[in-house]
Amino acid sequence: MSLVKYEKRDGVGLVLVDNPPVNAFSVGVPRGIMESLAAAAADPDVSAVVVAGSGRTFIAGADIKRLGAWPEGEPNLRDAIEVCEASEKPVVAAIHGHALGGGLELAMACHYRVSTADARLGQPEVKIGVPPGAGGTQRLPRLVGAAKALEMILSGAPISGAQAAGVGLVDRAVERDLVDKAVAFAAERAASGGPHPRVRDREVRVDDPGIFDAMRKQIERRARGMRAPYACIECVEAAVQLPFDEGIAREYEIFDAQVRSPEAAALRHLFFAERQIARVPGIGKDIVTRDIREGAVIGAGTMGSGIAMNFANAGIPVKLFDLGGEQLDRAMAAIERNYASTVSKGRLSEAAMRERLERITPVLELEAVASADFVIEAVFEEMALKLDTFARLDAICKPEAIIASNTSYLDVNRIAAATGRASQVLGTHFFSPANVMRLLEVVRTDSVSDEVLATTLGVGRRMGKVPVVSGVCHGFIGNRMLEGYLREAAFLVEEGALPQDVDRVLTDFGFPMGPFAVSDLAGLDIGWRSRRDHHAAEDERRYSGTIGDRLCERGCFGQKTGSGYYRYEAGSRAPIPSPEVEALIKEVSAELGIERRAIDDEEILSRCIYPVVNEGAKVLDEGIALRAGDIDIVWLNGYGFPAHRGGPMHYADHVGIASIYRRVCDYHERHGAWWQPAPLLERMAREGTTFAERDA
Ligand code: 3H9
């Protein structure tokens, strides 16, 4: 089947890329384009060429699966672009849908560009860890100026066809009849005679030569640990400093090195993992989901308020229930403050804020939620209270209503069994702050119907979340895996490291904050209380909460009290290492009979990350997570795992399963039962397989 079609229309050769779903440059597409251009060049009846995309889009770029893995000898995107630019007959790109990455690069190598006003044009390569690599960093600055090009290439965000016309990226934007108009335009340009303009021959406009250094500074925080954004700047800088041929050679060289980097491999993995999460057994394309017109949230604490905002943001009117009027007033005031802060940052209009606020109705009577289609319970994390709440909701809610629990740890199967509608009960585990964090674990109970699960995933997506299906277990995918991470961080400090050592190693790895700074931010008292309630269940294993308990006993709850694992100056969130905490830590080590020792960075990293991998392997083996990629998406969106490491399971593949397994066995021998190696890890180490292979 041909991926590129060629036909003649009114004396113009029409090259139509036909490679659904997004017309990516798969193997065969560049060849097809080159053959079509050759046919047009050889045909005396053809005066000009139009390149367009068939179906819903122009071209979404290089085939990401093939990046850095193109078959030897097969013509590639760069070849097609060269032939296109060298054509003596004018070539016009007719753009609708998306012209992204290599798609836009091809369009910029055409002599002219016509676009629909609503098309999306951009260079998103940085999001998959590479700079544009088929001339994008050289041609885009020549069309729109260095500053705009840098903005587009560094953000990866597309602009509309109408905006593209405004900045000189396209010659015209049209509302309809794109291909007909492009054909007419091409014939007109041919009639006016050549030579036809080539972007490579233009000068680059730079208003401020200091822009490159300024950009490097500006992205420092965001790009921590990543090379791709800097590679993008370097390439655009080359466009300014070097003649076109040298500049593009530089771009190719930088791209070719970067595309083979672990960073690019990690981001490519996440691109596909993000799309895989929607593939859930039992949920086919033909599944009929329910119409959700009204939501309800039970419990107006911080979580409940955030969840109510999610409904409002998704355009779904919601009732927010709490028993206490004061609590409800506080919640509504907090919600309003939250929206107002978004408005003040220019990210929401005043009118949109009003609309969203109007969608949230505080209610004091549980009966008021009877009309809701989707109810989310967000009361205290206590089984008895949850069971009682669900029994009451079951009696009040309309029969077809879905009732979800926002529990972080509890057994949702038991909660479902407290109702007479177990097929309509499941878990929706939001992350705090619930209106900000993108992760949503959707907990699939034994009894929930496929239709209800699909509806819930749809509601999550409407809320702008990344919904990942998890099976039922203590802590679900994410929190279950987090336990080992926090436990080892605490033990490392008892054994000889300081909180700032552990945090530094993990922020150097790429986490935005280390575990101790995060604990201070969240408040140490929450964990303290829960340890006091559940400590008895910890049996004879080594207890990881001693230092945290001591801090709390002294009233050091973290940032909110000005001291925790660090101290904080008034009004500042910057953690400052504290000599008193260090003394306390040493005291605890001595009390526990631990002789403190120097712990190197490598041990800190492996002690914190490998339990996550080990538990992840158990989660996968037990079927709690559907794929290793799902686990990576959970850790990326819920726990700040650095994207350029690809998530814990991808990182494990990168390090090598066998070497991680050996380390886990070693720690198991030295430190205790909680390092029990996952049977899956053992099997994979023996068989020499990877999580990526398991997912494929
Ligand atoms: C590049 O161009 C490098 C060059 O500079 C230099 C080269 C030398 N490749 O997202 P969707 C698949 S790098 C392969 O669900 P939407 C996707 O996996 C590229 N596959 O649809 C999915 O498959 P499945 C720069 C791709 O409507 C299906 O298509 N370009 C590619 O929500 C539908 O995708 C980009 O980074 C691809 N390029 O969004 C653009 N694109 O159904 C990446 C999509 O099996 N793409 N697929 O799960 C996108 O941003 C979105 O797909 C797009 C459509 C906005 C186009």
Side-chain angles (χ1 to χ4, degrees), residues 20-26 56-57 59-68 76-78 98 100-105 120 122-128 130-136 251-252 255-256 259 271-272 275-276 279 285:
V22 295
N23 294 334
F25 282 105
S26 311
R56 63 180 166 119
T57 194
I59 299 169
D63 182 343
I64 297 173
K65 286 200 186 79
R66 283 281 180 188
L67 276 190
N76 62 28
L77 168 59
R78 291 172 182 166
H98 287 94
L100 299 178
L104 182 57
E105 290 173 305
R120 310 293 294 162
Q123 300 281 179
E125 287 89 338
V126 72
K127 296 185 184 169
I128 48 166
V130 288
E251 180 203 90
Y252 287 0
F255 175 93
D256 292 347
V259 80
F271 175 86
F272 291 111
R275 282 156 180 82
Q276 281 293 323
R279 302 225 157 97
K285 281 206 163 67

Side-chain angles (χ1 to χ4, degrees), residues 9 14 16 50 52-53 94 96 174 176-184:
R9 220 185 259 190
L14 178 60
L16 212 54
V50 166
H96 77 299
V174 300
R176 61 186 77 82
D177 307 326
L178 172 73
V179 172
D180 288 347
K181 285 183 176 148
V183 166

Side-chain angles (χ1 to χ4, degrees), residues 294-568:
E294 188 185 318
V297 179
I298 311 303
T302 316
M303 253 347 227
S305 310
I307 298 170
M309 289 174 79
N310 288 331
F311 274 115
N313 298 346
I316 305 171
V318 58
K319 303 225 170 86
L320 177 58
F321 165 83
D322 205 284
L323 277 173
E326 262 179 44
Q327 178 60 32
L328 268 182
D329 290 345
R330 262 202 304 277
M332 290 308 290
I335 290 172
E336 188 156 354
R337 267 199 313 279
N338 212 311
Y339 278 133
S341 136
T342 316
V343 170
S344 72
K345 289 178 192 141
R347 292 208 300 261
L348 186 73
S349 72
E350 190 83 37
M353 162 172 157
R354 286 285 136 221
E355 265 176 34
R356 290 180 193 196
L357 279 172
E358 274 163 27
R359 287 191 195 117
I360 306 176
T361 310
V363 295
L364 280 163
E365 303 293 326
L366 196 58
E367 284 66 25
V369 309
S371 53
D373 305 299
F374 202 104
V375 182
I376 299 182
E377 163 279 311
V379 302
F380 285 120
E381 190 73 342
E382 220 178 77
M383 190 48 118
L385 180 61
K386 301 255 183 206
L387 294 177
D388 178 56
T389 307
F390 268 77
R392 290 178 62 205
L393 285 170
D394 189 31
I396 289 170
C397 294
K398 59 184 182 188
E400 65 276 24
I402 296 171
I403 316 180
S405 171
N406 180 50
T407 175
S408 326
Y409 287 97
L410 300 177
D411 180 350
V412 195
N413 280 331
R414 249 186 93 192
I415 296 176
T419 70
R421 61 174 88 197
S423 66
Q424 290 167 203
V425 174
L426 75 177
T428 49
H429 179 212
F430 289 84
F431 287 69
S432 184
N435 57 312
V436 177
M437 296 293 283
R438 292 189 69 215
L439 179 62
L440 172 64
E441 283 179 322
V442 175
V443 185
R444 186 178 204 166
T445 56
D446 294 344
S447 45
V448 70
S449 76
D450 293 344
E451 178 209 356
V452 167
L453 180 69
T455 304
T456 307
L457 294 170
V459 169
R461 280 191 284 270
R462 273 173 80 184
M463 290 174 167
K465 303 293 168 194
V466 178
V468 179
V469 173
S470 168
V472 178
C473 67
H474 181 76
F476 315 124
I477 298 174
N479 281 350
R480 172 170 163 184
M481 291 169 67
L482 182 69
E483 276 184 6
Y485 175 79
L486 296 179
R487 181 195 64 224
E488 290 305 310
F491 286 167
L492 283 162
V493 167
E494 287 180 359
E495 291 167 28
L498 291 172
Q500 55 269 32
D501 302 325
V502 177
D503 280 359
R504 175 185 45 77
V505 169
L506 289 157
T507 51
D508 284 353
F509 181 73
F511 279 94
M513 291 167 95
F516 294 103
V518 170
S519 300
D520 272 1
L521 176 67
L524 306 186
D525 47 328
I526 305 164
W528 182 42
R529 266 189 217 111
S530 121
R531 285 195 298 275
R532 276 193 312 197
D533 295 345
H534 302 291
H535 183 37
E538 278 233 356
D539 61 54
E540 78 290 353
R541 302 193 317 184
R542 188 173 156 195
Y543 177 60
S544 61
T546 315
I547 296 169
D549 291 352
R550 292 291 160 82
L551 287 167
C552 288
E553 283 155 18
R554 296 179 177 193
C556 303
F557 293 162
Q559 275 192 27
K560 60 186 168 192
T561 58
S563 60
Y565 288 104
Y566 297 94
R567 84 187 164 74
Y568 300 85

